[in-house]
mmCIF file of all heavy atoms in Angstrom:
data_model
loop_
_atom_site.group_PDB
_atom_site.id
_atom_site.type_symbol
_atom_site.label_atom_id
_atom_site.label_comp_id
_atom_site.label_asym_id
_atom_site.label_seq_id
_atom_site.Cartn_x
_atom_site.Cartn_y
_atom_site.Cartn_z
ATOM 1 N N LEU A 88 6.323 6.940 5.943
ATOM 2 C CA LEU A 88 7.106 8.150 5.702
ATOM 3 C C LEU A 88 8.592 7.857 5.542
ATOM 4 O O LEU A 88 9.306 8.600 4.876
ATOM 5 C CB LEU A 88 6.889 9.168 6.825
ATOM 6 C CG LEU A 88 5.523 9.847 6.840
ATOM 7 C CD1 LEU A 88 5.340 10.659 8.111
ATOM 8 C CD2 LEU A 88 5.344 10.724 5.604
ATOM 9 N N SER A 89 9.067 6.774 6.158
ATOM 10 C CA SER A 89 10.488 6.429 6.027
ATOM 11 C C SER A 89 10.795 5.761 4.695
ATOM 12 O O SER A 89 11.947 5.639 4.316
ATOM 13 C CB SER A 89 10.920 5.524 7.187
ATOM 14 O OG SER A 89 10.317 4.260 7.074
ATOM 15 N N ASP A 90 9.760 5.322 3.987
ATOM 16 C CA ASP A 90 9.946 4.693 2.674
ATOM 17 C C ASP A 90 8.881 5.243 1.732
ATOM 18 O O ASP A 90 7.747 4.771 1.731
ATOM 19 C CB ASP A 90 9.817 3.171 2.795
ATOM 20 C CG ASP A 90 10.048 2.450 1.486
ATOM 21 O OD1 ASP A 90 10.315 3.108 0.459
ATOM 22 O OD2 ASP A 90 9.958 1.208 1.483
ATOM 23 N N ASP A 91 9.250 6.251 0.933
ATOM 24 C CA ASP A 91 8.295 6.924 0.045
ATOM 25 C C ASP A 91 7.522 5.958 -0.849
ATOM 26 O O ASP A 91 6.419 6.259 -1.276
ATOM 27 C CB ASP A 91 9.013 7.944 -0.843
ATOM 28 C CG ASP A 91 9.379 9.198 -0.090
ATOM 29 O OD1 ASP A 91 8.898 9.382 1.040
ATOM 30 O OD2 ASP A 91 10.162 10.001 -0.632
ATOM 31 N N LYS A 92 8.093 4.792 -1.139
ATOM 32 C CA LYS A 92 7.431 3.844 -2.025
ATOM 33 C C LYS A 92 6.184 3.235 -1.385
ATOM 34 O O LYS A 92 5.351 2.668 -2.061
ATOM 35 C CB LYS A 92 8.399 2.749 -2.446
ATOM 36 C CG LYS A 92 9.514 3.276 -3.319
ATOM 37 C CD LYS A 92 10.512 2.217 -3.662
ATOM 38 C CE LYS A 92 11.618 2.864 -4.483
ATOM 39 N NZ LYS A 92 12.856 2.176 -4.415
ATOM 40 N N LYS A 93 6.058 3.358 -0.054
ATOM 41 C CA LYS A 93 4.893 2.819 0.647
ATOM 42 C C LYS A 93 3.740 3.818 0.701
ATOM 43 O O LYS A 93 2.657 3.482 1.134
ATOM 44 C CB LYS A 93 5.265 2.414 2.074
ATOM 45 C CG LYS A 93 6.186 1.219 2.154
ATOM 46 C CD LYS A 93 6.440 0.848 3.590
ATOM 47 C CE LYS A 93 7.353 -0.358 3.678
ATOM 48 N NZ LYS A 93 7.608 -0.732 5.070
ATOM 49 N N ILE A 94 3.985 5.042 0.282
ATOM 50 C CA ILE A 94 2.961 6.079 0.344
ATOM 51 C C ILE A 94 2.280 6.187 -1.025
ATOM 52 O O ILE A 94 2.957 6.377 -2.035
ATOM 53 C CB ILE A 94 3.568 7.452 0.709
ATOM 54 C CG1 ILE A 94 4.314 7.379 2.035
ATOM 55 C CG2 ILE A 94 2.473 8.506 0.791
ATOM 56 C CD1 ILE A 94 5.052 8.656 2.391
ATOM 57 N N PRO A 95 0.945 6.122 -1.060
ATOM 58 C CA PRO A 95 0.257 6.353 -2.334
ATOM 59 C C PRO A 95 0.575 7.759 -2.840
ATOM 60 O O PRO A 95 0.697 8.704 -2.055
ATOM 61 C CB PRO A 95 -1.226 6.233 -1.968
ATOM 62 C CG PRO A 95 -1.262 5.508 -0.668
ATOM 63 C CD PRO A 95 0.027 5.817 0.030
ATOM 64 N N THR A 96 0.722 7.883 -4.149
ATOM 65 C CA THR A 96 1.126 9.151 -4.741
ATOM 66 C C THR A 96 0.009 9.731 -5.593
ATOM 67 O O THR A 96 -0.570 9.036 -6.423
ATOM 68 C CB THR A 96 2.385 8.947 -5.607
ATOM 69 O OG1 THR A 96 3.424 8.439 -4.765
ATOM 70 C CG2 THR A 96 2.842 10.241 -6.239
ATOM 71 N N ALA A 97 -0.271 11.004 -5.380
ATOM 72 C CA ALA A 97 -1.204 11.756 -6.213
ATOM 73 C C ALA A 97 -0.364 12.660 -7.116
ATOM 74 O O ALA A 97 0.386 13.507 -6.627
ATOM 75 C CB ALA A 97 -2.151 12.581 -5.358
ATOM 76 N N ILE A 98 -0.452 12.440 -8.412
ATOM 77 C CA ILE A 98 0.307 13.228 -9.376
ATOM 78 C C ILE A 98 -0.402 14.570 -9.592
ATOM 79 O O ILE A 98 -1.617 14.617 -9.786
ATOM 80 C CB ILE A 98 0.433 12.485 -10.723
ATOM 81 C CG1 ILE A 98 1.105 11.124 -10.520
ATOM 82 C CG2 ILE A 98 1.177 13.323 -11.752
ATOM 83 C CD1 ILE A 98 2.529 11.191 -10.013
ATOM 84 N N VAL A 99 0.362 15.653 -9.516
ATOM 85 C CA VAL A 99 -0.163 16.993 -9.770
ATOM 86 C C VAL A 99 0.558 17.562 -10.980
ATOM 87 O O VAL A 99 1.739 17.279 -11.185
ATOM 88 C CB VAL A 99 -0.006 17.907 -8.528
ATOM 89 C CG1 VAL A 99 -0.851 17.388 -7.376
ATOM 90 C CG2 VAL A 99 1.440 18.033 -8.088
ATOM 91 N N PRO A 100 -0.130 18.337 -11.825
ATOM 92 C CA PRO A 100 0.486 18.809 -13.068
ATOM 93 C C PRO A 100 1.674 19.737 -12.873
ATOM 94 O O PRO A 100 2.624 19.688 -13.625
ATOM 95 C CB PRO A 100 -0.648 19.515 -13.801
ATOM 96 C CG PRO A 100 -1.826 19.495 -12.923
ATOM 97 C CD PRO A 100 -1.521 18.717 -11.700
ATOM 98 N N SER A 101 1.608 20.609 -11.859
ATOM 99 C CA SER A 101 2.728 21.520 -11.612
ATOM 100 C C SER A 101 2.683 21.981 -10.165
ATOM 101 O O SER A 101 1.656 21.878 -9.493
ATOM 102 C CB SER A 101 2.677 22.735 -12.542
ATOM 103 O OG SER A 101 1.693 23.641 -12.097
ATOM 104 N N ALA A 102 3.798 22.514 -9.694
ATOM 105 C CA ALA A 102 3.875 22.996 -8.311
ATOM 106 C C ALA A 102 3.097 24.297 -8.123
ATOM 107 O O ALA A 102 2.814 24.687 -7.003
ATOM 108 C CB ALA A 102 5.331 23.200 -7.913
ATOM 109 N N ASN A 103 2.733 24.960 -9.212
ATOM 110 C CA ASN A 103 2.064 26.256 -9.119
ATOM 111 C C ASN A 103 0.545 26.170 -9.208
ATOM 112 O O ASN A 103 -0.128 27.189 -9.141
ATOM 113 C CB ASN A 103 2.573 27.190 -10.220
ATOM 114 C CG ASN A 103 4.056 27.439 -10.081
ATOM 115 O OD1 ASN A 103 4.559 27.542 -8.973
ATOM 116 N ND2 ASN A 103 4.754 27.498 -11.195
ATOM 117 N N GLY A 104 0.009 24.972 -9.357
ATOM 118 C CA GLY A 104 -1.423 24.829 -9.547
ATOM 119 C C GLY A 104 -2.192 24.607 -8.252
ATOM 120 O O GLY A 104 -1.712 24.882 -7.151
#
Side-chain angles (χ1 to χ4, degrees):
L88 288 171
S89 69
D90 182 0
D91 284 348
K92 293 176 183 155
K93 291 183 179 180
I94 303 174
T96 300
I98 302 297
V99 295
S101 76
N103 299 323

